[in-house]
Amino acid sequence: MLTGEQYLSSLDDDRVTYFEGRRIKDLLDEPAFEVPARAVAAGYDRCYSPEPGATNPLVVAPTSPEELRERAGVIGEMDLALNVTYQSLMTLLTAASRLQGVDPVYQDRLRAYVDDAIAADIRIAECITDAKGNRSLPPAKQADPDAYVHVVERRRDGVVIRGAKLHISAASLCHDLLVMPTKAMKPGEEDYAITCAVPVGSAGVSVINTTYHPKGDDIRHYPVSSQVSIPDGFVVFDDVFVPAERVFLDGETPQAAVFAHSLGLWERLGGITAMVRQADELVGLAQLIAEANGLAGVPHIRDKVDEMAIHATLLRAGMEAALAHAKATPEGYYYPDELFTNAAKYQGAAEFGRMVHHLHDIAGGAVLTSPSIADLENPDTRRYVEKYMATGTDVSAEDRLRLFHAIRDLTADAFGGWHLVTNLQSGGGLFAQRTVTRRHYDMERAKSIARHSAGIEAP
Ligand SMILES: Cc1cc2nc3c(=O)[nH]c(=O)nc-3n(C[C@H](O)[C@H](O)[C@H](O)COP(=O)(O)OP(=O)(O)OC[C@H]3O[C@@H](n4cnc5c(N)ncnc54)[C@H](O)[C@@H]3O)c2cc1C
């Protein structure tokens, strides 16, 4: 296993990484990368065991519903690089059992890859979302054939791929990129039916990063994003060679969507786990700021906090149901229930904006205009900030400022904007979750209840 320090050293592999128009030679020289890289390193140290042959128990496939539940809780508390690694490995194992009618060499390769990845203790980013060009056209009909990642050359010892995968969480901080088709492919789109694992440092790979990590020397009024930011990568594959043993599908269009469906499932479970915590966090902030403003007993404020608490509780119920109804692969690996996972993820994403609206409504304009902690420390302004931001003897100005800063950082600034879009789009967007929910919902049962109510005979 790797220690945190060994992980940090492993990032020095000549990877081609850009940020704000510059090539970044040393990720640890740049706060927007150093802070999350050290958070990932801390995750390594938390899991580390010096025993020879030890592996990280958090990335081994759960073999019972209880293990699946326990893992979801622990993984949710860890850094995002570990989260996407777990989801990538579980995706491969779930997909292995669903890959029917293809050369079994793929299953052998992907199981060997999972074993090697666990033994080498690497982090793996999920690369599914293509650039996609004109969304109404399929891959092979795009003006630019590279709008979807595809194979441009097949050699005896591997393939060469070209294209880009966008919005890839933690790409610059991982070791491997797990590339897979973003959707089902049709006959004629064989070159686009490619799943493979590519080291980030491979020749031809470039990562252009964005981040909501706060800027400036004093970032104390960004209490959350200054600790938990993670860069998202625009990952380009410019004729990248992938050796055959790292290719898990190449050209079999009927199976192209297997990986995307498996990834969607694990990514959405990760999404709900995060949303459940986030929903409780929003309820807590709403209640604390209502108390700090002296309004906790006012009926319309209580109604909104209650509505937020009901939303948080139903999300938790959806997550619990997804775990309680876990299913097993033929090998005995447990994965969450598709219906509950997708319905809960949809609900969490669709209602997130309304929960934030309630929080802003309750909190007031100081969410945006609270002075900074530095203003509280400046002897010229301290007495004014203390005098006018305090709301009574039991609520200090500093605590109220800290609450406003946390609310702004989480919901109304760069990180807040990131949350708003990410909750909607991650895991394939609302439409993807609606589609999977419809596929797994027992519509016949619903129709039969409705027929019974209406006194109509079954056909
Ligand atoms: C912060 C962040 C992190 C992310 N992390 C990752 C990651 O780690 N790995 C990864 O692979 N992806 C990641 N994603 C990408 C995410 O999965 C996509 O944003 C999502 O799938 C939507 O794709 P898109 O952004 O290309 O939007 P679009 O596909 O352009 O969708 C925009 C809208 O158009 C609709 N639409 C699109 N095509 C059609 C069509 N043909 N017909 C009808 N309607 C259509 C969609 O339903 C949606 O409503 C991340 C996204 C964000 C915001």
Side-chain angles (χ1 to χ4, degrees):
M1 294 183 76
L2 299 184
T3 63
E5 272 310 313
Q6 287 168 328
Y7 159 72
L8 292 174
S9 305
S10 73
L11 295 175
D12 185 13
D13 61 358
D14 274 339
R15 57 188 57 203
V16 178
T17 310
Y18 297 91
F19 182 50
E20 296 186 330
R22 289 173 289 121
R23 169 104 188 255
I24 305 295
K25 281 286 184 195
D26 182 353
L27 292 171
L28 300 183
D29 267 353
E30 197 73 44
F33 295 87
E34 188 206 349
V35 172
R38 292 203 183 281
V40 177
Y44 267 97
D45 284 336
R46 199 171 142 188
C47 300
Y48 182 73
S49 161
E51 289 297 312
T55 54
N56 185 348
L58 295 183
V59 294
V60 175
T63 51
S64 69
E66 294 72 32
E67 234 183 293
L68 178 68
R69 169 191 303 278
E70 195 190 314
R71 192 72 50 79
V74 181
I75 293 265
E77 298 289 316
M78 299 290 293
D79 60 273
L80 194 68
L82 183 73
N83 272 267
V84 292
T85 301
Y86 175 63
Q87 289 166 14
S88 297
L89 295 173
M90 295 311 109
T91 295
L92 289 175
L93 292 177
T94 312
S97 59
R98 296 177 177 183
L99 274 180
Q100 305 297 336
V102 291
D103 190 334
V105 73
Y106 291 131
Q107 287 155 330
D108 295 344
R109 282 181 196 166
L110 65 81
R111 289 193 179 106
Y113 174 79
V114 169
D115 290 345
D116 290 350
I118 292 174
D121 205 9
I122 59 169
R123 298 293 181 259
I124 306 167
E126 310 160 341
C127 292
I128 179 164
T129 310
D130 289 282
K132 294 191 285 202
N134 180 333
R135 270 69 176 147
S136 62
L137 296 175
K141 297 246 165 68
Q142 295 288 335
D144 184 338
D146 304 339
Y148 287 74
V149 169
H150 62 129
V151 176
V152 290
E153 188 186 343
R154 290 189 174 80
R155 301 181 189 161
R156 236 163 22 98
D157 54 348
V159 299
V160 177
I161 61 169
R162 189 187 301 158
K165 295 284 187 183
L166 310 193
H167 334 277
I168 308 308
S169 304
S172 286
L173 300 179
C174 288
H175 302 100
D176 268 10
L177 304 161
L178 178 60
V179 175
M180 63 187 77
T182 196
K183 63 187 202 61
M185 296 294 165
K186 299 199 176 79
E189 297 171 340
E190 285 73 15
D191 292 343
Y192 296 92
I194 175 74
T195 301
C196 57
V198 180
V200 180
S202 303
V205 172
S206 306
V207 186
I208 305 168
N209 295 274
T210 54
T211 177
Y212 52 82
H213 190 82
K215 294 185 174 148
D217 294 333
D218 185 353
I219 52 174
R220 286 175 296 171
H221 44 300
Y222 291 90
V224 190
S225 58
S226 59
Q227 305 303 314
V228 303
S229 77
I230 200 97
D232 295 309
F234 181 120
V235 183
V236 181
F237 300 89
D238 192 1
D239 291 358
V240 176
F241 174 70
V242 187
E245 65 271 17
R246 285 175 158 257
V247 174
F248 312 129
L249 193 78
D250 174 21
E252 294 80 357
T253 52
Q255 285 79 21
V258 166
F259 291 94
H261 289 157
S262 303
L263 180 77
L265 178 62
W266 287 97
E267 208 180 78
R268 286 166 210 153
L269 178 67
I272 312 174
T273 313
M275 279 179 176
V276 166
R277 190 184 176 284
Q278 193 179 50
D280 286 336
E281 189 176 35
L282 295 186
V283 176
L285 286 168
Q287 180 64 24
L288 285 176
I289 202 66
E291 289 172 8
N293 290 349
L295 290 171
V298 171
H300 85 93
I301 302 277
R302 286 176 64 124
D303 285 352
K304 284 167 191 141
V305 175
D306 290 346
E307 198 182 308
M308 293 172 76
I310 289 167
H311 169 75
T313 306
L314 288 179
L315 267 195
R316 183 177 295 281
M319 180 187 75
E320 289 293 333
L323 296 168
H325 293 264
K327 311 276 185 304
T329 67
E331 298 90 342
Y333 302 141
Y334 277 78
Y335 59 90
D337 177 81
E338 299 258 12
L339 176 65
F340 289 114
T341 303
N342 281 277
K345 171 67 174 57
Y346 177 90
Q347 199 62 16
E351 290 299 306
F352 179 69
R354 187 170 159 76
M355 297 303 119
V356 170
H357 174 97
H358 280 341
L359 176 58
H360 291 170
D361 189 9
I362 292 168
V367 165
L368 294 182
T369 61
S370 282
S372 66
I373 298 295
D375 295 315
L376 193 63
E377 288 168 350
N378 180 342
D380 293 343
T381 48
R382 179 176 186 95
R383 62 204 164 106
Y384 300 135
V385 177
E386 277 185 335
K387 179 175 165 69
Y388 294 111
M389 288 306 289
T391 52
T393 47
D394 53 346
V395 182
S396 75
E398 180 168 346
D399 283 357
R400 193 154 165 263
L401 278 189
R402 288 189 185 280
L403 281 174
F404 282 127
H405 291 157
I407 294 170
R408 191 204 70 255
D409 191 19
L410 268 168
T411 62
D413 212 323
F415 187 33
W418 182 91
H419 262 143
L420 217 51
V421 178
T422 303
N423 278 356
L424 281 180
Q425 296 294 352
S426 67
L430 291 180
F431 177 65
Q433 282 121 64
R434 265 208 307 270
T435 308
V436 184
T437 300
R438 171 167 272 272
R439 194 181 310 138
H440 291 274
Y441 179 77
D442 191 347
M443 193 59 83
E444 287 314 312
R445 181 171 169 275
K447 279 162 63 178
S448 131
I449 295 170
R451 274 196 207 96
H452 179 76
S453 302
I456 300 170
E457 292 281 311

